[in-house]
Amino acid sequence: MKLLLSTAMGALVLAAARPAQALVPTPAPTDTIVVKLPNKAVMTLVVHDAQQLRQLPLYHLDSLVARLSGYIKRADAAAKIAETDRLTTVFHPDRDQPGQQLPEEIRITTRKPGPGSYGPSNKIEVLLEKKLGVVINTDGNTNSQPRAAGRADRLAQRDSLRQARWEHKSSSTDLVFDLGLNALVNQPGGAGRPELRTLGSRYVNVGFDHQQRLGGRRSPLYLILGPEFAFNNYMLEGNNKWVNQNGQTSVALETSGRQFQKTKLATSTFTVPLMLQLSLHDRHGNTALRLGAGGFVGYRLGSWTKLKYFEEGTTYKDKDYGSYNLTDWQYGLQGVLGYRSLTFFAKYNLNNLFRDGQGPQAQTLSFGVRIFGN
């Protein structure tokens, strides 16, 4: 086969070297040259002009055939264990060994043997440059007209391309948006203990998370970094309110007869997460399982209380900004667990919500659903 390829290439280059007036113009934007080999394999060369024909010897097609042997063995091994009848495997020799005039892309489509096989013939597609390709059909079909790809072939090619993109994409930055609830934990018993309204104590987090792959191009392990902005609401149950007096923050019952609709303490925090995340993909190249764990550090940007009540036919909203003796620097543990498009998160503050001796002793636990982002 090596001798036949060399002979065919020589004939093609000689044809390209003839004067331009001897060439028969074709209306199509590309020229197709079909070489039928003795073993009934068909090699099709797709070029755009004579100049590309003259460049073919630069790619050493005889050594290319030898290189294809290893790729075909890997593609056949993958096809035997694939769940579909057809499988397309994509290789990028020029990326793996740059500067050696290797093909940009080699795409091998194989099918399982047997009476149930369907779709187009087994084929090898070699992309030497973006506009120059070689197609070799290997199933013995000598018809020079390619058959239309079946649905299974299209799906296999899509999955192969998706897998190749995942392997070569070592890092990414994604917008994340988390929505959840807050709870106060590790509180001692007794009077003055804050009781939060569950659905009113909301947690919102928005930011940009950068993912950096650790290890080789098939490694599922990533390092996750921020920045993020978190907003925590702590809404009290009943007719209680947050009070800041004499350097102390506490919870007090309203005694004036005013009935509160909302009494909450809110904070805004700049945080930087640092996590290790395991991202596993299914056979179609989609992320199937995400499992991440790590920590975070942050700084409180602002805090305020908000009272909402109805009095004499009018609704009032009183907002008061202040530190409320809240801890400025915050740190803790966090984790994510996701399956396909559904991801849950949890964050646990190791620091107390208030400074020691200046407010109720409690730590924050936030949990919920990641609306979008990895």
Side-chain angles (χ1 to χ4, degrees), residues 99-339:
Q100 298 187 23
Q101 203 72 23
L102 298 177
E104 287 191 0
E105 181 177 286
I106 294 179
R107 188 178 302 166
I108 301 177
T109 300
T110 54
R111 66 181 177 186
K112 292 182 179 179
S117 299
Y118 58 92
S121 61
N122 295 350
K123 61 183 179 181
I124 304 170
E125 296 180 355
V126 182
L127 183 65
L128 301 178
E129 292 180 351
K130 294 187 181 298
K131 297 181 179 180
L132 176 60
V134 180
V135 179
I136 305 176
N137 295 321
T138 60
D139 70 337
N141 183 358
T142 57
N143 185 1
S144 60
Q145 297 297 325
R147 290 179 288 177
R151 182 174 183 273
D153 184 61
R154 294 194 302 271
L155 293 177
Q157 182 176 353
R158 180 204 63 185
D159 295 345
S160 179
L161 293 175
R162 185 179 293 164
Q163 183 75 12
R165 285 194 299 268
W166 170 74
E167 290 180 4
H168 290 280
K169 188 176 181 181
S170 61
S171 64
S172 64
T173 301
D174 300 308
L175 176 67
V176 297
F177 180 73
D178 299 332
L179 183 62
L181 301 173
N182 290 311
L184 296 179
V185 297
N186 298 333
Q187 298 188 77
R193 170 176 171 162
E195 296 291 342
L196 298 185
R197 188 182 302 177
T198 303
L199 297 180
S201 301
R202 291 183 291 272
Y203 171 85
V204 177
N205 179 66
V206 61
F208 292 93
D209 280 0
H210 177 75
Q211 302 181 72
Q212 179 63 51
R213 174 179 285 152
L214 302 178
R217 67 180 186 178
R218 289 181 176 269
S219 173
L221 186 63
Y222 290 84
L223 179 67
I224 310 294
L225 293 169
E228 298 177 350
F229 292 90
F231 301 88
N232 295 75
N233 285 335
Y234 306 95
M235 187 174 294
L236 295 172
E237 281 282 14
N239 208 37
N240 297 303
K241 63 180 180 180
W242 294 97
V243 178
N244 185 24
Q245 292 180 340
N246 303 321
Q248 294 284 330
T249 299
S250 60
V251 176
L253 179 65
E254 178 66 28
T255 58
S256 66
R258 179 182 297 165
Q259 294 296 317
F260 294 119
Q261 294 173 291
K262 292 182 180 179
T263 60
K264 70 177 181 180
L265 172 65
T267 66
S268 61
T269 308
F270 172 78
T271 62
V272 178
L274 180 63
M275 289 198 308
L276 289 176
Q277 180 169 296
L278 191 66
S279 298
L280 302 179
H281 291 71
D282 59 17
R283 62 187 178 89
H284 300 297
N286 298 312
T287 302
L289 180 66
R290 287 177 296 276
L291 180 62
F296 68 91
V297 62
Y299 186 80
R300 181 181 60 86
L301 300 177
S303 53
W304 61 94
T305 57
K306 184 177 180 180
L307 301 175
K308 182 179 179 181
Y309 54 92
F310 185 78
E311 195 172 68
E312 297 180 354
T314 304
T315 299
Y316 294 91
K317 297 179 181 179
D318 297 339
K319 203 171 186 178
D320 183 26
Y321 288 89
S323 68
Y324 286 88
N325 302 304
L326 292 161
T327 303
D328 290 330
W329 286 101
Q330 302 178 24
Y331 57 93
L333 305 174
Q334 66 176 7
V336 295
L337 176 62
Y339 178 72

Side-chain angles (χ1 to χ4, degrees), residues 1 7 27-28 30 34 59 62 85 94 135 186 195 226 254 280 291 325 332 353-354 356:
M1 182 176 180
T7 304
T30 59
V34 179
Y59 298 100
D62 52 348
D85 287 343
D94 189 54
V135 179
N186 298 333
E195 296 291 342
E254 178 66 28
L280 302 179
L291 180 62
N325 302 304
L353 179 61
F354 298 94
D356 292 342

Side-chain angles (χ1 to χ4, degrees), residues 6-20 22-23 50 53-57:
S6 301
T7 304
M9 292 303 100
L12 292 174
V13 172
L14 289 175
R18 294 174 182 172
L23 298 177
L53 276 176
R54 298 188 187 99
Q55 293 174 351
L56 284 177

